Amino acid sequence: MKVTMTVNGKSMSGEAEGRTLLSSFLREELGLTGTHVGCDTSQCGACTVHVDGRQVKACTMFAAEAEGTDVTTIEGMANADGSLNTIQQAFQDYHGLQCGFCTPGMVMAASSLLEQNPKPSETEIREHLHGNICRCTGYHNIVKAIMAASGQDVPAVAAE
Amino acid sequence: MPKDGIGASTKRREDVRFLTGTGRYTDDINLGKQLYVHFLRADVAHARINGIDTSAAEGMPGVVRIFTAKDFEGVGGLPCGWQVTDKHGQPMQEPKHPIIAEGKIRHVGEIVAAVVAETLDQARDAAEAIMPDLEELPAVVDMKEAVREGATKVHDDLTSNLCYDWGFVEENKAAVDEAFEKAAHVTTLELVNNRLVANPMEPRVAVGDYAAHSDESTLYTTSQNPHVIRLLMGAFVLGIPEHKLRVVAPDVGGGFGTKIFHYAEEAFCTFAAKQLRRPVKWTSTRSEAFISDAHGRDHVSKIQIALDADNNFTALRTDTYANMGAYLSTFAPSVPTWLHGVLMAGNYRTPLIYVNVKAVFTNTVPVDAYRGAGRPEATYQLERCIDKCARELGVDPAELRRQNFITPDQFPYATPVAVEYDTGNYHATLDKALELADVAGFEARAEESKRTGKLRGLGIANYIEACGIAPSNLVGQLGARAGLYESATVRVNATGGVVVMTGSHSHGQGHETTFPQVIADMIGIDASQVEIVHGDTANTPMGMGTYGSRSLAVGGSAMFRAAEKVINKAKKIAAHLMEASEGDIELKDGQFTVAGTDKSVAWGDVTLAAYVPHNYPLDQIEPGLEETAFYDPANFTYPSGTYICEVEVDEGTGQVEVLSFTAADDFGNVVNPMIVEGQVHGGVAQGIGQALLENCAYDADGQLLSATYMDYAMPRAADLPMITVDHSCQTPCTHNPLGVKGCGEAGAIGAPPALVNAVLDALNRNGHAVDHIDMPLSPARVWSAMNA
Ligand code: FES
Ligand code: FES
């Protein structure tokens, strides 16, 4: 079947079977490979996107269910001029990523958090990231990056 | 000094692509006319294969071909890269490791058949119609059971399930036993180093391709060492010469050891692409990863320390059973031996040491190196046993350690287990950690916890590791079937920019940022003028890859040596341009000067002259500016440190909360502190994961019980504290040009004993006399220990 949705502000269509997940549709049909797939039990959050403004794991939804929705993926997060947005910039500034595989999901989760809660505490950040696994960073610098992106004070990244 | 030189926390340039979704991981690669493979994997641990009926599946929509073992008759098995010699001088038992199970299934997850189809869904659907005729056999899961007389054999053609029985140093055994007889005190501890799954967030992927016009095969794969895959797969499995085989490992989403090894799926996709003349792609699901990625750890050990009346360690002996799983993965035999036995001295002066390791085949997924590889197992035994010893003797665990430390004036220090530590200062990291963790204020905090009904404890662990793997002539004697040097080509372009082609591979470590910092420092140009190329055998001379915290120490040193050659040649050109003698030329801040004069010529002018050699000493030197170096380390490097963990235990539930974690490491010189700290954070998180949460559990039938993220507890953000990291204690490595030691594995090595020691401290200081709890310290285990 043909499925159409707005992705990062543009109307996009592609073929999907009934069983096609939104995550595979974005990656395989639309070529938006920034959305990653790290598990098959909806536990890791690497596939996190926004659907109609809500944080959603794209592997928990069929592509057909997203018909007519407004989807934002990591490819749609940078500023209009292509520069990193505040959250992305904070991830770079505070070394909130290593291999980068969990990163798109982390940025999407962080941006939802800051929309709901512009000044989250460390505990609130850690709790919000419950569905996003990172194997590289120990979350330390991800938490700092999100604090910084929300305009809160964080200690410098490393003694220089 | 350029602003992004050595010592600067330069931001990572690779981050931009990862943060905008423009990274290129293997699964992002799709080739024209690509086919998909789905592997039918064993769902029983041990069975004879009487036949496989693929007829129904063959006719299903989209199916191109179904492969079984008989299609691989002329193909080699997956090779093992290390041959261990047992205590009698005999080589280890080494079974064939087939691409597809031959005659017998030996672990859940082993490939039984492979379906190649036009789409992945078609391949999956068809696999369900394949009917293997299996005769189930009893599974061998427990290591000690596996080596009993009469145990079911995993491999019928081997004499038993014992891969090797290794003794180190065998000649010391009698003296060690004698020291135990004379000891004033002996502490004994039996423990399990729990089996883990490395779980890089990117599952493995392989895409095979074949170009008929050039008879060339290409494999895109999630590997930490593409050249090693090319060598092993080309020479031992498929018989493809290296000049007809290209292996590309693009952006790789974490490795932690498990992406070192050469896997069946890589060989399959390369082989099938050539057979079918179309690209073949495999993307692992996480469920497949659990039953096909090599696992880590899984040691069962008994350790004993002997002390004299003054609490000096006089001897140490250990007995370990190490699980190999069903087959020998690429480096599996080296992990419990040369990466474990030789580290048993730890940070201490213990004069006599004997290590016995029995490596055992079982009906489980193969076990190989995982972050730390052997060194965490050694450190965990030692640091847990010393803690128990301190409690038995009623002395301060920090002071018992300090008393037995190798002292700073004793370096270089030859241990009784065959290695020579070049530098170190264990007192310094201990003092630093005690200060940063505010150990002086602990008693007051413990009192405070008591008031809220919690048991507070503090645990210390020291570690030493052997990194910068490794001197080739040494490891060759020890059974390695590969050299462990690294290579680099430094190519300078006419306009002065530099491209470094390195055999090291970055899968999160940030080489694209740190390696240019070194070059920028050497030449005095901006780091943005330097580009790193890695991960493609077509571009780099040779590479042994990234593992064992070796990238900067070995790969960085190769780059340093190649850059030195480049600079020496550039100085010759500069001497010619300035009509000076070569010996008087200095290079600083991107300018060549003649000592004692005001003459100078810029880096870019010299590089231009090298490629536009109009005014050039063509009779003496060739045009161009490009050099290659191979660097083979003279010794291992020996990072060390002290870790302190503080926990609270809920007496009612057994729940452990990690309140703080302090790491004081000596990594020698540090190129990028931000990245080094990130490596420690990640390592500590994995160490805390092992100690508190993660466990790879099999049942008695060889079924993996923890085969998804619903059953295997990965550390999540709320499970971990902020981590205090310090690397100011620096004793630079004496034998590599950068003075660096490596930082990738430290956290995973030092964290588990620090955490377990902290929990046992919490229990014992609050009236629960508990000697030991095996990891992971789940609430159930802690509660049961308190209520035994
Ligand atoms: S891929 Fe969606 S949660 Fe893991
Ligand atoms: S950066 Fe590698 S998984 Fe998070």
Side-chain angles (χ1 to χ4, degrees):
Chain A
M1 78 189 91
K2 188 172 160 201
V3 178
T4 304
M5 59 192 80
T6 305
V7 183
N8 302 327
K10 281 192 216 107
S11 175
M12 290 186 159
S13 307
E15 279 301 313
E17 288 184 42
R19 61 181 164 180
T20 306
L21 300 173
L22 178 59
S23 48
S24 4
F25 182 79
L26 292 169
R27 289 182 56 79
E28 311 296 333
E29 270 299 300
L30 303 185
L32 294 170
T33 53
T35 298
H36 293 157
V37 175
C39 73
D40 47 7
T41 53
S42 297
Q43 305 274 304
C44 78
C47 62
T48 305
V49 297
H50 297 168
V51 178
D52 289 335
R54 279 179 41 240
Q55 179 183 335
V56 168
K57 288 177 175 176
C59 73
T60 58
M61 200 170 167
F62 293 117
E65 290 178 280
E67 170 73 36
T69 60
D70 192 347
V71 176
T72 307
T73 69
I74 188 69
E75 287 90 344
M77 293 302 279
N79 296 327
D81 65 355
S83 60
L84 300 180
N85 78 8
T86 309
I87 295 171
Q88 291 168 318
Q89 189 57 57
F91 269 70
Q92 187 187 31
D93 291 347
Y94 287 86
H95 191 29
L97 63 153
Q98 291 182 25
C99 79
F101 198 79
C102 72
T103 308
M106 288 290 177
V107 169
M108 299 312 288
S111 111
S112 262
L113 168 65
L114 296 189
E115 254 162 51
Q116 299 155 24
N117 182 355
K119 296 267 180 270
S121 66
E122 181 193 333
T123 308
E124 287 170 334
I125 294 172
R126 289 183 185 275
E127 275 166 9
H128 187 84
L129 296 181
H130 188 75
N132 292 75
I133 305 178
C134 175
R135 192 55 151 170
C136 296
T137 64
Y139 307 96
H140 183 108
N141 285 339
I142 293 178
V143 172
K144 279 170 78 169
I146 297 173
M147 289 288 245
S150 68
Q152 303 185 76
D153 268 358
V154 269
V157 65
E160 282 189 58
Chain B
M1 189 184 107
K3 75 172 181 356
D4 286 329
I6 290 175
S9 281
T10 304
K11 288 176 202 167
R12 299 198 330 164
R13 54 177 76 175
E14 44 273 79
D15 289 358
V16 176
R17 66 177 189 269
F18 297 143
L19 283 161
T20 52
T22 48
R24 188 170 182 252
Y25 298 86
T26 311
D27 193 43
D28 303 341
I29 294 172
N30 291 299
L31 304 176
K33 302 198 73 193
Q34 169 178 292
L35 298 167
Y36 295 82
V37 58
H38 176 78
F39 295 106
L40 178 69
R41 295 181 184 273
D43 56 6
V44 295
H46 200 190
R48 211 167 296 289
I49 305 172
N50 292 327
I52 300 178
D53 182 359
T54 58
S55 53
E58 260 148 33
M60 288 182 59
V63 173
V64 174
R65 187 147 160 214
I66 297 175
F67 292 82
T68 59
K70 68 178 182 330
D71 297 295
F72 284 82
E73 267 161 16
V75 171
L78 299 171
C80 179
W82 204 298
Q83 184 182 62
V84 166
T85 302
D86 77 4
K87 64 183 186 186
H88 309 296
Q90 297 302 308
M92 66 188 189
Q93 298 207 77
E94 193 172 352
K96 183 177 178 191
H97 188 177
I99 308 295
I100 297 187
E102 285 174 5
K104 233 172 107 165
I105 285 165
R106 295 187 177 87
H107 68 85
V108 168
E110 188 167 8
I111 299 172
V112 176
V115 184
V116 179
E118 297 289 342
T119 72
L120 181 56
D121 286 331
Q122 288 169 334
R124 277 191 189 141
D125 291 345
E128 286 187 20
I130 296 177
M131 298 292 170
D133 173 9
L134 303 180
E135 176 191 336
E136 260 198 79
L137 301 167
V140 190
V141 177
D142 182 83
M143 285 191 276
K144 291 185 182 172
E145 292 293 328
V147 292
R148 287 237 164 90
E149 271 298 307
T152 306
K153 284 199 284 183
V154 177
H155 296 277
D156 301 330
D157 53 337
L158 302 186
T159 59
S160 69
N161 293 320
L162 186 64
C163 176
Y164 56 74
D165 183 352
W166 183 78
F168 190 67
V169 177
E170 202 56 31
E171 296 75 52
N172 292 351
K173 188 170 188 306
V176 170
D177 291 344
E178 199 185 313
F180 270 89
E181 273 159 36
K182 290 203 208 120
H185 183 86
V186 172
T187 295
T188 303
L189 182 62
E190 292 188 38
L191 42 74
V192 174
N193 203 292
N194 43 329
R195 183 187 270 245
L196 302 174
V197 182
N199 270 308
M201 290 319 296
E202 176 203 31
R204 286 188 298 121
V205 181
V207 188
D209 191 20
Y210 176 73
H213 69 91
S214 58
D215 185 32
E216 246 184 329
S217 293
T218 301
L219 170 69
Y220 301 88
T221 183
T222 47
S223 175
Q224 301 175 216
N225 35 229
H227 290 84
V228 175
I229 304 305
R230 183 181 65 169
L231 177 63
L232 296 177
M233 183 171 78
F236 298 95
V237 186
L238 300 179
I240 305 174
E242 279 158 293
H243 59 280
K244 291 292 182 194
L245 180 56
R246 175 179 169 206
V247 178
V248 185
D251 287 331
V252 172
F256 314 117
T258 204
K259 289 177 182 166
I260 298 171
F261 322 121
H262 177 35
Y263 285 98
E265 296 86 356
E266 296 172 319
F268 179 87
C269 290
T270 310
F271 177 82
K274 186 169 179 178
Q275 295 265 311
L276 301 170
R277 296 289 200 265
R278 287 176 67 181
V280 176
K281 180 172 186 174
W282 170 69
T283 302
S284 176
T285 61
R286 182 61 57 186
S287 299
E288 272 183 291
F290 271 102
I291 53 174
S292 67
D293 289 5
H295 292 174
R297 316 280 192 259
D298 205 353
H299 285 193
V300 175
S301 299
K302 175 177 167 184
I303 176 169
Q304 294 186 292
I305 299 181
L307 297 91
D308 66 16
D310 299 321
N311 295 346
N312 297 308
F313 302 159
T314 57
L316 177 88
R317 64 185 172 202
T318 69
D319 272 299
T320 288
Y321 288 82
N323 207 334
M324 296 285 103
Y327 298 101
L328 293 177
S329 172
T330 313
F331 289 113
S334 69
V335 174
T337 50
W338 302 111
L339 293 173
H340 162 256
V342 298
L343 271 304
M344 274 325 302
N347 312 56
Y348 310 101
R349 290 189 312 267
T350 318
L352 288 162
I353 297 177
Y354 178 73
V355 179
N356 178 261
V357 177
K358 294 180 181 68
V360 181
F361 292 112
T362 59
N363 291 117
T364 62
V365 171
V367 180
D368 206 328
Y370 164 58
R371 201 171 196 167
R375 291 150 287 171
E377 295 89 323
T379 305
Y380 183 63
Q381 288 178 67
L382 192 56
E383 293 297 318
R384 282 287 305 116
C385 194
I386 293 173
D387 233 54
K388 178 167 185 249
C389 180
R391 190 166 298 121
E392 286 171 356
L393 296 169
V395 299
D396 180 338
E399 294 316 309
L400 179 61
R401 288 177 165 93
R402 189 193 300 276
Q403 173 186 343
N404 284 283
F405 272 159
I406 297 160
T407 55
D409 58 332
Q410 286 178 301
F411 293 95
Y413 181 84
T415 74
V417 273
V419 284
E420 185 179 277
Y421 302 159
D422 59 341
T423 53
N425 186 342
Y426 310 143
H427 297 73
T429 55
L430 176 60
D431 288 338
K432 183 52 101 178
L434 292 172
E435 173 205 324
L436 289 174
D438 184 24
V439 172
F442 173 76
E443 292 296 339
R445 295 193 294 276
E447 278 309 308
E448 187 57 39
S449 293
K450 245 183 219 159
R451 271 194 285 283
T452 60
K454 295 277 171 62
L455 318 181
R456 198 174 186 112
L458 182 138
I460 298 179
N462 295 302
Y463 75 88
I464 171 102
E465 50 170 335
C467 296
I469 292 172
S472 294
N473 51 10
L474 172 65
V475 295
Q477 286 167 30
L478 305 181
R481 289 162 168 163
L484 289 169
Y485 52 82
E486 195 51 83
S487 80
T489 296
V490 173
R491 175 179 298 163
V492 184
N493 296 321
T495 51
V498 180
V499 181
V500 179
M501 282 142 280
T502 168
S504 292
H505 186 275
S506 183
H507 32 279
Q509 295 87 344
H511 298 172
E512 290 168 38
T513 299
T514 49
F515 280 33
Q517 289 182 251
V518 174
I519 297 287
D521 218 65
M522 292 176 77
I523 302 175
I525 53 176
D526 203 90
S528 64
Q529 295 266 89
V530 187
E531 193 69 29
I532 302 299
V533 173
H534 65 97
D536 185 345
T537 60
N539 292 334
T540 311
M542 180 60 184
M544 297 315 295
T546 290
Y547 44 83
S549 307
R550 71 192 296 274
S551 289
L552 197 57
V554 189
S557 295
M559 175 181 71
F560 185 94
R561 291 274 187 253
E564 267 182 343
K565 291 189 198 179
V566 159
I567 290 169
N568 287 339
K569 182 171 176 183
K571 282 184 176 171
K572 283 198 178 89
I573 303 168
H576 174 85
L577 293 177
M578 292 189 281
E579 294 172 342
S581 125
E582 191 193 322
D584 294 335
I585 305 292
E586 286 165 5
L587 172 61
K588 197 168 171 273
D589 296 333
Q591 293 287 327
F592 294 93
T593 52
V594 182
T597 75
D598 59 0
K599 284 188 190 171
S600 81
V601 53
W603 167 255
D605 294 329
V606 171
T607 61
L608 190 66
Y611 288 93
V612 188
H614 294 162
N615 169 21
Y616 195 87
L618 287 165
D619 53 335
Q620 290 158 42
I621 37 175
E622 295 170 9
L625 200 47
E626 168 169 334
E627 299 287 346
T628 295
F630 280 65
Y631 177 83
D632 202 288
N635 190 356
F636 293 92
T637 62
Y638 299 95
S640 61
T642 304
Y643 287 4
I644 296 182
C645 181
E646 207 165 311
V647 299
E648 261 182 0
V649 178
D650 184 318
E651 205 168 14
T653 64
Q655 178 80 38
V656 175
E657 189 186 349
V658 181
L659 301 174
S660 69
F661 200 99
T662 304
D665 296 287
D666 175 0
F667 296 133
N669 294 337
V670 166
V671 171
N672 184 320
M674 175 191 83
I675 287 180
V676 164
E677 293 179 13
Q679 288 291 311
V680 177
H681 297 153
V684 166
Q686 290 183 7
I688 292 177
Q690 167 166 32
L692 218 48
L693 299 161
E694 298 176 42
N695 193 37
C696 181
Y698 277 95
D699 73 7
D701 297 326
Q703 288 294 338
L704 183 60
L705 300 174
S706 52
T708 72
Y709 285 153
M710 291 187 284
D711 308 296
Y712 187 93
M714 293 283 280
R716 293 172 188 262
D719 297 319
L720 298 167
M722 292 312 253
I723 297 159
T724 303
V725 176
D726 179 274
H727 43 78
S728 64
C729 305
Q730 299 184 350
T731 60
C733 171
T734 55
H735 56 80
N736 68 44
L738 295 168
V740 297
K741 294 183 169 180
C743 64
E745 297 162 292
I749 296 171
L755 194 158
V756 176
N757 287 345
V759 172
L760 287 159
D761 181 57
L763 268 44
N764 280 281
R765 66 167 59 237
N766 288 287
H768 297 286
V770 177
D771 275 342
H772 180 65
I773 309 174
D774 275 324
M775 302 185 287
L777 301 187
S778 61
R781 286 185 182 187
V782 175
W783 188 90
S784 304
M786 285 190 289
N787 293 281

